Amino acid sequence: PLQPQQEAGAEVAPRFFSMTQSSELEAPYGSQGEMRLWIPLPEPMAPYQVLRRLHWEGDFQQASIVSEPKFGVQSLFVQWEDCQGPMHLDVVMDLETRDWLLGRQGLLDDYKPPAELIYPVGVAPYLQGSRHIKIDGVVAERAQEIIGNEDNPLVRARLIHDWVAEHMERDNSVIGCGVGDVGAILESGKLYGKCTDINSVFVALARAAGIPAREMFGIRLGRPAALEQYSKTAFGSADEQGQANNTDWQHCRAQFWLPGMGWVPCDPADVTKMRLAENKSHIDPAVQAVNEDLFGNWEMNWVGFNYGRDFVLAPAPEQAPINNFGYPYAEAGGDPLNYYDFARFKYDYHTTEQS
């Protein structure tokens, strides 16, 4: 089993990363008007990360930090007046991260829920369904099958986490991080996908079981710490200088909320990723160790951007609402660019861990 990095309650040593995101855009033939680009920005301050510095430069006409009201999603909104001209942008994000180790520190061991479950205003929305996060029908039925008569929300969350980690499979043929359409996944019985698919199933089942839960979209930065002993590739990597090309390392994680404690991290999707990467069965001791650790802990060789699902960016784009916001989004003359089309929407992320 994984060993705690420090005594329970002790301060976790910070890590420092500098991540540069570069974009080059080309409008489709015949496009006219302006180019508008939204870059997802890290959650500026949380127990597990701080955005220390943000700098951008390029040949744009306007650029500003904007925030939408529903989830507080922040982005760098950039405009070029003529989408046929040269369009280049560099964004530098200096980050401090700290491992979030509620599980390893034993802070979940003796949890007892209060007699009355009261959810703060900012938490209640994460009990609701949306277009891609269905919480009724087959989702509610499956949640009830999993939790049975259990009424402790922590135990309910653990039952759901373990069911998702065991029964879902990672499918590397899925584009990007997946769509995360939970109703379609459970109705089809095809329990596979990538991180957004898998962790969205956890989130929807948790909400259907009365547990506030949410996905967080972000990107891996470099090497993990304790988890690296179980896989050299599944959880991130870097060279000897701490440098990484993390352009396609977008990753969705999950959180659930406990009355009297607050948000708790988890990541059943990475259990399935490690299982596939190392060609192991779910009952393998190494997989079980990772499954245990990823309930209640995040190693922060990763940065979280936002919790947005089925929402409208600010300022509102022509395509709205969008499913989620883990990748840059752009529109040329009002027409969305495919952020998987690297011929017209070229961008990359490069990250260096500071010693």
Side-chain angles (χ1 to χ4, degrees):
L2 299 175
Q3 298 300 314
Q5 295 183 334
Q6 66 287 309
E7 296 297 324
E11 183 175 334
V12 182
R15 299 175 71 173
F16 298 92
F17 297 90
S18 183
M19 180 170 68
T20 299
Q21 196 267 5
S22 299
S23 300
E24 292 187 14
L25 294 91
E26 179 180 335
Y29 178 77
S31 297
Q32 296 181 349
E34 65 181 7
M35 178 72 76
R36 302 201 299 170
L37 171 65
W38 292 257
I39 300 289
L41 296 179
E43 185 180 26
M45 183 168 292
Y48 44 84
Q49 69 182 45
V50 178
L51 177 60
R52 290 293 184 189
R53 174 178 174 264
L54 179 64
H55 172 77
W56 60 87
E57 58 185 36
D59 48 23
F60 50 82
Q61 277 71 56
Q62 296 184 51
S64 60
I65 299 173
V66 296
S67 179
E68 60 80 41
K70 185 174 182 180
F71 298 104
V73 175
Q74 289 196 338
S75 59
L76 179 64
F77 176 63
V78 185
Q79 295 174 281
W80 289 264
E81 294 176 356
D82 180 3
C83 67
Q84 296 302 319
M87 292 170 285
H88 178 83
L89 174 72
D90 290 320
V91 183
V92 179
M93 310 173 206
D94 290 343
L95 303 156
E96 176 183 339
T97 70
R98 293 175 185 264
D99 290 351
W100 194 13
L101 307 178
L102 302 185
R104 291 188 205 171
Q105 294 183 357
L107 300 179
L108 301 177
D109 292 351
D110 300 317
Y111 175 77
K112 292 181 176 59
E116 185 177 4
L117 303 184
I118 300 175
Y119 299 111
V121 172
V123 170
Y126 298 105
L127 279 166
Q128 301 171 4
S130 69
R131 176 185 174 188
H132 291 93
I133 305 297
K134 298 293 187 183
I135 60 174
D136 56 2
V138 66
V139 181
E141 293 169 6
R142 184 56 57 86
Q144 186 58 50
E145 292 173 5
I146 295 169
I147 65 173
N149 295 323
E150 179 59 56
D151 59 2
N152 184 314
L154 175 60
V155 179
R156 284 187 172 194
R158 182 60 193 261
L159 289 169
I160 294 169
H161 176 278
D162 289 353
W163 185 91
V164 172
E166 178 180 0
H167 289 87
M168 295 203 69
E169 300 286 344
R170 180 177 172 87
D171 182 358
N172 280 338
S173 69
V174 171
I175 296 175
C177 291
V179 175
D181 189 334
V182 178
I185 291 171
L186 293 184
E187 288 169 6
S188 72
K190 299 175 181 177
L191 304 180
Y192 56 79
K194 280 193 178 171
C195 56
T196 298
D197 303 304
I198 296 167
N199 282 339
S200 290
V201 170
F202 168 82
V203 165
L205 290 171
R207 292 184 187 183
I211 304 167
R214 60 192 185 184
E215 308 94 322
M216 190 176 203
F217 299 90
I219 192 167
R220 301 184 201 271
L221 299 171
R223 294 176 59 180
L227 288 178
E228 191 175 40
Q229 65 182 295
Y230 296 105
S231 178
K232 298 293 185 182
T233 60
F235 310 114
S237 61
D239 64 19
E240 293 181 356
Q241 287 73 45
Q243 298 177 347
N245 181 340
N246 53 323
T247 300
D248 59 353
W249 290 5
Q250 286 82 6
H251 180 51
C252 163
R253 285 178 165 177
Q255 302 173 357
F256 63 95
W257 194 86
L258 289 180
M261 177 168 287
W263 290 106
V264 178
C266 64
D267 192 352
D270 257 3
V271 181
T272 70
K273 183 176 184 184
M274 176 266 185
R275 193 170 65 220
L276 178 63
E278 301 302 319
N279 192 26
K280 295 181 181 294
S281 70
H282 190 69
I283 62 173
D284 184 277
V287 176
Q288 286 300 300
V290 171
N291 185 73
E292 180 71 24
D293 192 66
L294 288 177
F295 184 82
N297 305 296
W298 282 355
E299 288 193 353
M300 291 307 294
N301 60 318
W302 175 87
V303 62
F305 292 150
N306 60 76
Y307 311 103
R309 285 306 301 267
D310 301 313
F311 74 105
V312 179
L313 284 166
E318 292 296 320
Q319 178 175 297
I322 65 170
N323 182 347
N324 59 68
F325 189 42
Y327 293 81
Y329 176 77
E331 292 181 346
D335 294 326
L337 272 64
N338 182 354
Y339 45 74
Y340 300 128
D341 180 4
F342 288 100
R344 297 192 181 280
F345 196 167
K346 301 176 184 177
Y347 62 87
D348 58 55
Y349 287 89
H350 285 83
T351 300
T352 299
E353 182 167 7
Q354 312 294 323
S355 58

